[in-house]
Amino acid sequence: MVVKILAAATTFQGVHYSERKNEQGQSALLLAENFPMQGFVTDFGRKDYIQYMESVCATNGRVKKRQFHAVLSAKAHDVNFAELTQLAKAFLDEMGYGRNPYLVYGHTDTANHHVHMVSTRVTPEGKKVDHAYERIRSQKVIASLLQTNPALAAAQAAEKALTYTVTQNGSIRQLLAQEGYQTRLTIAGEMEVIKYGLVQHVIGQEQLATCLTQADAPETQARLSGRLQQLRSLFARYRPLLNPDAFQRYLSAHHQLAILHHTSAYTVLDHAQRTVFAGSEVMQREELLAPLTTEAKRQAAHWHATRCQEAWVSEHRGRTLAETVSALGYRLDPQGALYLGEEAVGVQLTDEMHCVQQAVNVRISPTLDPQHSWPLLVVAYELKVQGGAPPQTGLPTATAADLRNTRFKLEEVAYAYDQGAALQELRLVVLQDPGGVHYVLDQEQGCLHAWQEVGNRFIAPEKHSMNPMRKAQAHAPGPPEGTPAVRSGFEGVTFRTLGSLYDVDDGEEQKRAGRLRKRRAH
């Protein structure tokens, strides 16, 4: 059901439009309310209606746009005009036009039954009808009315159920039962939709037959076969990881699937593809309800961990591990545990993978040797490497713009009161190689430069040379015992910490140290 408020007008052109359609045999006047002389004049027509509505609007000369015009439409012909008329009357009452003169015309010039409602924006007392947020209010009003009109709601539920691909009447009954309706088949082959103990709607025999024959089409059979394979794979991958209740919640939240259990069988409602499957076609009921086993859960956890890892490695740049797993429907807690909905998968993917990603994507200055730069990045990101060679993908080269941006940052650090805090705030890390040569790692830009290229004479690099990862390592919790190991996908690189450079925040400690030095000086 759709309601649309058309633009206000200075004249009652909505009446002219509907009367023209009436002359063409495409509309009819269904209701005329609050016209006092209507009972005394036998040939009351278009001009009389317009003349009276204009006389009502003349009581308030400040209102220039006098016409209220709205359209209420139902899909196809499932809702008859008698029901639409009652709904239109209730709608006008709720919107504040119920006491004004108004007309309701039924139109058949489109594939959908719809009515046009025309009224005045001035009340018989000469007051303007409040039109603030009228379009927003109209949607709330129609939603409220549909909830309180059981016949219309039942017709809509039946209309929705008939759009599904089904192979038997029982499937339609299950769809309606999920919406809270009872059903009953008559001797004539019709299906009665019941609620509140009354028949609210009747689905005709032809409608039922048309719905059932759609599943026999070759293209439909091919689609059903492909979807069935997808569901079997989905159930096989996720059911061993979650108990039956959690599995059903996951299917509903992430895949628009619902499971309806019967006495000795179950049905899968695929709302995404609007299809109903017998549960035995997807997974045997005994397997679906079987308790979890340790081995099955371990295998499932390994599959999910590998899936997340492979997705992250394929990104290689631009996404963190948490962002990658979120796109796949998972989430990571602060300790790196992988969750599927609210259920723990039983595997830990630490943010060390993020550190690897940062390290292999750092752009190095053209003057630096990759063979010499890689050990610096290993130290900065606390990676444990077998051999000192950089990854086979190589390290990208920094640009002149990267160099210039880092210089600007160091100039800002030079004039800061607390240079250590400024370096941290700008995400700059000063590194020192065994030969005493200093370098600057710009975490924000992902660039490594020699100090002599970007350094500032007002900054002493030896005072700020540090490895913040050690602090993260000291405070990071370790993975639980028995957690499956996850390989990085980068040859020769393994992990040993949970932290990343983003996790370190020494600013408060440095501020406290500065305040302590001031007190001692005084």
Side-chain angles (χ1 to χ4, degrees), residues 179-242:
E179 299 292 332
Y181 294 95
Q182 296 178 342
T183 54
R184 180 172 58 206
L185 289 175
T186 66
I187 299 176
E190 297 176 332
M191 182 180 291
E192 296 178 341
V193 182
I194 304 169
K195 197 168 190 178
Y196 308 127
L198 301 173
V199 177
Q200 305 292 352
H201 185 74
V202 177
I203 303 175
Q205 183 181 11
E206 293 184 2
Q207 290 177 292
L208 293 173
T210 302
C211 182
L212 294 175
T213 55
Q214 289 177 350
D216 298 330
E219 60 274 12
T220 304
Q221 289 294 326
R223 178 177 64 83
L224 293 179
S225 177
R227 182 57 173 169
L228 198 56
Q229 292 297 327
Q230 292 177 352
L231 293 180
R232 287 169 179 167
S233 176
L234 180 68
F235 276 54
R237 291 298 186 188
Y238 289 86
R239 172 58 188 93
L241 190 66
L242 305 171

Side-chain angles (χ1 to χ4, degrees), residues 277-420:
F277 293 98
S280 58
E281 297 179 310
V282 181
M283 176 181 280
Q284 292 300 317
R285 188 168 185 262
E286 294 75 15
E287 186 178 358
L288 177 70
L289 301 178
L292 297 178
T293 64
T294 304
E295 178 61 21
K297 189 166 184 176
R298 187 191 66 79
Q299 292 179 359
H302 178 74
W303 181 86
H304 288 286
T306 304
R307 180 184 182 219
C308 292
Q309 171 200 336
E310 290 177 350
W312 180 82
V313 172
S314 66
E315 292 287 342
H316 194 66
R317 180 190 291 272
R319 268 189 178 182
T320 64
L321 177 63
E323 291 170 340
T324 301
V325 301
S326 177
L328 294 174
Y330 305 90
R331 69 177 178 87
L332 287 177
D333 70 0
Q335 285 72 42
L338 187 66
Y339 280 79
L340 185 63
E342 297 300 321
E343 301 294 325
V345 172
V347 69
Q348 196 150 4
L349 302 178
T350 68
D351 205 34
E352 302 147 6
M353 296 176 71
H354 188 191
C355 295
V356 176
Q357 182 195 32
Q358 289 179 297
V360 299
N361 287 326
V362 167
R363 300 188 297 277
I364 64 172
S365 175
T367 61
L368 299 181
D369 180 11
Q371 296 289 338
H372 184 73
S373 303
W374 178 243
L376 294 172
L377 298 175
V378 169
V379 172
Y381 290 97
E382 281 288 329
L383 304 178
K384 181 179 180 182
V385 180
Q386 299 172 357
Q392 296 177 357
T393 55
L395 296 174
T397 303
T399 64
D402 295 329
L403 188 69
R404 185 167 56 252
N405 290 335
T406 304
R407 280 178 180 165
F408 288 155
K409 286 186 176 182
L410 285 173
E411 288 180 5
E412 186 176 345
V413 172
Y415 291 98
Y417 176 77
D418 189 336
Q419 292 183 350

Side-chain angles (χ1 to χ4, degrees), residues 33 51 65 68 130 183 219 225-226 280 385 476 490 511 520:
E33 287 288 325
Q51 184 177 1
K65 295 185 177 181
F68 171 81
D130 183 18
T183 54
E219 60 274 12
S225 177
S280 58
V385 180
F490 296 101
K511 289 178 183 178
R520 290 174 177 173

